[in-house]
Amino acid sequence: DFRLGQVFDAPADATGHQEPGVCPLPNGSYIAFARTITGNQWTTCSFDPLAFPPFQPDAAFPSPRSPMCIKPLHDGRYIAIFNPVPCDPADDKYRFLGGRRAPLGYKLSEDGYRWSELKLLETDLDRGYCYTAVLSDNDEFVLLGYCAGGDEDGLCLNRQRIVRLTLDEL
C-alpha cells in the first residue's frame, strides 16, 4: 500500500506517473489517476485516502501522455475527460507537447468504477486538447475549460476554450 509521503513505483518507462489526481466516490472510496506514456491512464482505488494500492493501467482510459480529469457532477454522476487514443511515440501525429492530444472525449459514471461508452467533445486532429477544468455547481449545466491550440498557435497550450453543456446533453 502507498502511504502518505511514499513514492509510487513508476511504470516501465522514463516518465513514470505524471499529473496525478484524486476524486472521492459515492461509496466512500477514492479513485486516484495519473498519466503515463504507456498508452493508458493508470488508476487505483482505496477507502483510505492515505493508503492506495499500486497504480495499474486502466483499459477504460486509453491515452497518450496527456492528463485526465475526473470530477463529480452536480447531478451525482462522475465525468472523466481525456484524450482517448493510445500513444505511440513513433507516430508522426505525436507532435503536440505530451503527444497527440486529440480528440478530446469523456465518459460518465454513476459510481466511479463502471464507465459509459466514450462520447467525443472535440474531434479536430490538428489541434491539441488538454488540462480540463470542470465546474458543476447547479442542476442545469457544466462548464468545461481546456487548452485547445493548433499549429497556428505554436502549441496546444496557447489557446483556451470554455464550453457550456447542459447536464442533459452529457
Side-chain angles (χ1 to χ4, degrees), residues 78-95:
Y78 290 80
I79 189 167
I81 304 169
F82 63 105
N83 302 112
V85 291
C87 71
D88 178 359
D91 186 341
D92 66 350
K93 295 283 187 182
Y94 197 76
R95 64 181 187 262

Side-chain angles (χ1 to χ4, degrees), residues 17 40-44 53-59:
H17 302 297
N40 295 85
Q41 296 286 328
W42 285 41
T43 62
T44 183
F55 279 87
Q56 298 293 320
D58 195 325

Side-chain angles (χ1 to χ4, degrees), residues 25-97:
L25 299 176
N27 68 354
S29 69
Y30 298 84
I31 184 171
F33 48 93
R35 76 179 197 176
T36 71
I37 197 168
T38 63
N40 295 85
Q41 296 286 328
W42 285 41
T43 62
T44 183
C45 291
S46 175
F47 281 94
D48 181 350
L50 301 180
F52 284 89
F55 279 87
Q56 298 293 320
D58 195 325
F61 304 114
S63 179
R65 188 180 63 199
S66 183
M68 178 167 69
C69 177
I70 298 178
K71 295 289 184 181
L73 298 174
H74 197 263
D75 65 4
R77 295 179 295 172
Y78 290 80
I79 189 167
I81 304 169
F82 63 105
N83 302 112
V85 291
C87 71
D88 178 359
D91 186 341
D92 66 350
K93 295 283 187 182
Y94 197 76
R95 64 181 187 262
F96 290 111
L97 178 68

Side-chain angles (χ1 to χ4, degrees), residues 69 71 81 130-135 143-146:
C69 177
K71 295 289 184 181
I81 304 169
C130 54
Y131 297 108
T132 305
V134 178
L135 176 64
L143 291 176
L144 305 175
Y146 48 90

Side-chain angles (χ1 to χ4, degrees), residues 97-157:
L97 178 68
R100 185 173 174 200
R101 293 183 171 180
L104 182 66
Y106 65 91
K107 292 184 176 186
L108 298 170
S109 177
E110 301 289 331
D111 60 9
Y113 290 95
R114 295 173 306 241
W115 295 92
S116 70
E117 291 296 315
L118 177 71
K119 295 181 182 182
L120 292 178
L121 183 63
E122 299 279 5
T123 59
D124 184 349
L125 299 183
D126 290 326
R127 306 196 78 71
Y129 307 100
C130 54
Y131 297 108
T132 305
V134 178
L135 176 64
S136 176
D137 66 352
N138 67 49
D139 292 326
E140 297 178 32
F141 62 87
V142 59
L143 291 176
L144 305 175
Y146 48 90
C147 295
D151 288 340
E152 71 277 11
D153 303 306
L155 187 64
C156 66
L157 305 178

